[in-house]
Amino acid sequence: MNNPKVRGLKMNKDQKAKDTGSPMTNLMEVMQEASTTMMPGFGLEWFETMNKVGTEMLAFMSERVKQDIQTQQDLLQAKDIGEIQKIQADFVKKAMDDYAAEMTKLMDMGKTHEKHAIPV
């Protein structure tokens, strides 16, 4: 893998500019790099599974952004500090629950690709 964040190496200016994205973007790039080196050994079913995983990740991120925007709107309309604290606490709990559920879903989707590998 050539991703310096994964290997813990120093980054040059170009790499630093590239790494200013979200952790999810960095994860997707690392997964893409890793899968590219293994690509010749996988069949069509593997690519279909990876397509489903990518689609799921994008749908999840889209939904989280919608919830983030709604939370900001709720905060702007809050009447007092107690309401703000409740909105923030609810947001954090929902986000943690959503991310945990999404990771479980992605891990389950990823388990199926092993049976689709074609020996090299």
Side-chain angles (χ1 to χ4, degrees):
M1 283 182 242
N2 294 329
N3 189 316
K5 283 195 151 190
V6 174
R7 295 188 324 191
L9 300 175
K10 291 183 180 182
M11 295 183 277
N12 63 34
K13 281 193 246 180
D14 293 335
Q15 290 167 320
K16 285 182 183 179
K18 180 181 172 188
D19 286 342
T20 58
S22 72
M24 188 64 85
T25 303
N26 291 336
L27 174 63
M28 288 174 23
E29 288 175 2
V30 169
M31 289 173 62
Q32 184 179 22
E33 273 186 43
S35 66
T36 302
T37 60
M38 300 184 299
M39 202 175 288
F42 293 97
L44 180 61
E45 293 86 3
W46 184 85
F47 288 103
E48 289 172 352
T49 300
M50 291 301 103
N51 183 42
K52 289 177 186 175
V53 167
T55 300
E56 174 61 33
M57 289 173 72
L58 290 174
F60 174 77
M61 291 181 344
S62 173
E63 184 57 34
R64 287 299 317 155
V65 167
K66 288 178 189 175
Q67 292 178 24
D68 293 352
I69 291 169
Q70 182 60 51
T71 299
Q72 292 300 317
Q73 290 174 348
D74 293 345
L75 287 169
L76 290 171
Q77 296 173 6
K79 303 286 187 242
D80 57 37
I81 192 71
E83 191 175 350
I84 289 172
Q85 289 173 332
K86 181 178 180 346
I87 291 168
Q88 289 175 330
D90 291 347
F91 171 81
V92 169
K93 181 179 181 345
K94 175 89 168 88
M96 289 175 61
D97 291 346
D98 287 352
Y99 278 99
E102 185 67 11
M103 283 305 283
T104 300
K105 187 185 291 187
L106 291 172
M107 289 187 332
D108 287 343
M109 291 174 103
K111 287 178 186 176
T112 62
H113 89 275
E114 290 177 21
K115 67 182 179 187
H116 301 304
I118 298 171
V120 178

